[in-house]
């Protein structure tokens, strides 16, 4: 018997080649999009020929690879530097940790101050029917399940979203848990549905601003594992701006709510 390692298949060779190319070129959006297009075509051909199992792209059975985000702001709430705090005071977003999971995805946190109280920000976060066409890269968003747990003071909201990723649209079924008393909205993939992402864990954490009355400090944390046929550098490009785009969307929605009759008379979230 030979002890030589098995030879690489054509898909793995193509994947490694693309990774090497991407690591040595500028991260131009047009270049990234073109390479994604080539990769999708390649993988579609391999799926059709049976070299890649089609059901390996969805969240089953690989869901559960990522640990849930349980700490407020993924542990960053009380760990900002003076420079980062100054950036927030200047109205800027601050991007924090970015940890890769091999070639499967990325983890990151972003934070920004908003001129709206926490209840209003939570309202903006959980009005999922407004995401499509307003949140960058989201072309479809609809609630397909909703329930309350009055004993725990939580609400469960299930949302189907379609997210643009270069030339491919990702279908994702998210299971959200809203806990107004804690100021959190956590989400993961719905295990009863098949999503195009392998696994997702996320958290919105909305706190009262430490010094500005009526303001909020808003944290967006997420980790995602994408299909294994996507090279790591492409994954980074797809993941690294998600927090910035999400915060920008929620800030605009929350501050618009403050000028509406809802914001003036209610100013809060009601599960």
């Amino acid at each position: 018997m030979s002890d030589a390692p098995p030879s690489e298949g054509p898909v793995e060779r193509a994947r490694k080649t693309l990774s090497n190319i991407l690591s040595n070129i500028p991260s131009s959006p047009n270049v990234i999009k073109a390479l994604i297009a080539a990769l999708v075509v390649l993988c579609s051909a391999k799926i059709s020929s049976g070299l890649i199992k089609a059901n390996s792209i969805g969240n089953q059975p690989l869901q559960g690879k990522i640990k849930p985000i349980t700490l407020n702001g993924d542990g960053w709430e009380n760990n900002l530097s003076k420079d980062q705090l100054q950036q927030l005071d200047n109205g800027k977003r601050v991007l924090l940790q970015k940890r890769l999971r091999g070639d499967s995805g990325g983890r990151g946190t972003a934070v920004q101050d908003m001129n709206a109280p926490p209840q209003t920000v939570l309202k903006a976060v959980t009005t999922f029917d407004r995401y499509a066409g307003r949140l960058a890269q989201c072309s479809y968003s609809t609630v397909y399940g909703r329930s309350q747990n009055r004993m725990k003071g939580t609400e469960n909201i299930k949302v189907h979203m379609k997210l643009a990723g270069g030339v491919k649209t990702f279908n994702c079924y998210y299971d959200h848990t809203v806990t107004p008393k804690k100021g959190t909205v956590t989400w993961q993939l719905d295990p009863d549905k098949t999503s195009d992402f392998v696994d997702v864990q996320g958290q919105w954490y909305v706190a009262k601003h430490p010094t500005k009355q009526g303001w909020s400090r808003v944290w967006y944390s997420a980790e995602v594992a994408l299909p294994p046929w996507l090279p790591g550098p492409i994954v980074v490009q797809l993941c690294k701006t998600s927090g910035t785009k999400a915060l920008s969307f929620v800030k605009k929605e929350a501050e618009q709510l403050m000028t509406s009759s809802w914001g003036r008379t209610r100013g809060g979230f009601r599960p």
Side-chain angles (χ1 to χ4, degrees):
M1 294 181 61
S2 172
D3 294 329
S7 60
E8 294 179 340
V11 175
E12 181 61 23
R13 289 199 300 272
R15 181 175 176 272
K16 287 188 175 181
T17 300
L18 280 171
S19 290
N20 291 335
I21 293 171
L22 283 168
S23 64
N24 289 285
I25 62 174
S27 57
S28 164
N30 290 333
V31 172
I32 296 296
K33 185 174 291 188
L35 287 169
I36 292 175
L39 186 60
V40 169
V41 171
L42 169 66
C43 290
S44 297
K46 297 307 177 184
I47 290 170
S48 299
S49 65
L51 293 179
I52 300 178
K53 293 182 179 179
N55 62 6
S56 69
I57 296 177
N59 59 308
Q60 299 166 348
L62 297 177
Q63 188 187 18
K65 294 290 186 180
I66 301 175
K67 293 182 180 179
I69 298 172
T70 57
L71 298 176
N72 293 340
D74 202 17
W76 285 93
E77 183 180 18
N78 299 313
N79 291 293
L80 295 178
S81 68
K82 290 183 179 179
D83 179 65
Q84 290 166 338
L85 290 171
Q86 186 61 54
Q87 290 182 56
L88 291 175
D89 286 341
N90 293 338
K92 297 180 180 179
R93 287 183 290 271
V94 175
L95 303 180
L96 299 164
Q97 177 182 11
K98 180 64 66 175
R99 177 173 61 83
L100 289 180
R101 297 176 57 83
D103 285 344
S104 298
R107 185 185 188 102
T109 296
V111 57
Q112 185 170 18
D113 293 343
M114 300 184 187
N115 187 10
Q119 299 92 333
T120 303
V121 176
L122 283 174
K123 173 70 174 179
V125 169
T126 55
T127 307
F128 294 107
D129 290 337
R130 287 185 59 83
Y131 277 45
R134 295 180 176 89
L135 172 62
Q137 297 181 316
C138 180
S139 61
Y140 179 87
S141 179
T142 187
V143 174
Y144 65 90
R146 188 186 293 265
S147 61
Q148 295 184 18
N149 187 324
R150 297 191 180 278
M151 291 292 291
K152 293 183 177 181
T154 62
E155 183 176 17
N156 175 258
I157 307 175
K158 296 185 177 184
V159 184
H160 177 202
M161 291 187 187
K162 295 181 181 180
L163 306 173
V167 298
K168 177 174 174 57
T169 297
F170 292 93
N171 273 284
C172 302
Y173 294 86
Y174 293 124
D175 188 348
H176 299 80
T177 299
V178 186
T179 310
K181 290 184 178 179
K182 295 181 179 180
T184 62
V185 179
T186 59
W187 70 94
Q188 59 186 358
L189 294 179
D190 184 346
D192 296 325
K193 301 283 187 178
T194 298
S195 297
D196 288 332
F197 290 171
V198 174
D199 199 6
V200 173
Q201 293 289 338
Q203 180 202 74
W204 285 98
Y205 170 55
V206 185
K208 291 182 179 180
H209 193 280
T211 59
K212 297 179 181 179
Q213 186 174 359
W215 283 59
S216 299
R217 180 154 289 170
V218 185
W219 307 76
Y220 173 96
S221 303
E223 181 165 1
V224 59
L226 293 173
W229 46 264
L230 278 176
I234 288 181
V235 171
V236 173
Q237 290 297 321
L238 294 176
C239 294
K240 72 177 184 179
T241 60
S242 64
T244 297
K245 293 174 180 177
L247 284 171
S248 178
F249 163 73
V250 167
K251 182 177 187 295
K252 182 177 180 179
E253 292 287 301
E255 293 179 355
Q256 284 183 349
L257 275 173
M258 290 302 295
T259 65
S260 69
S261 59
W262 184 94
R264 291 193 300 270
T265 59
R266 296 182 64 180
F269 174 83
R270 301 292 186 272

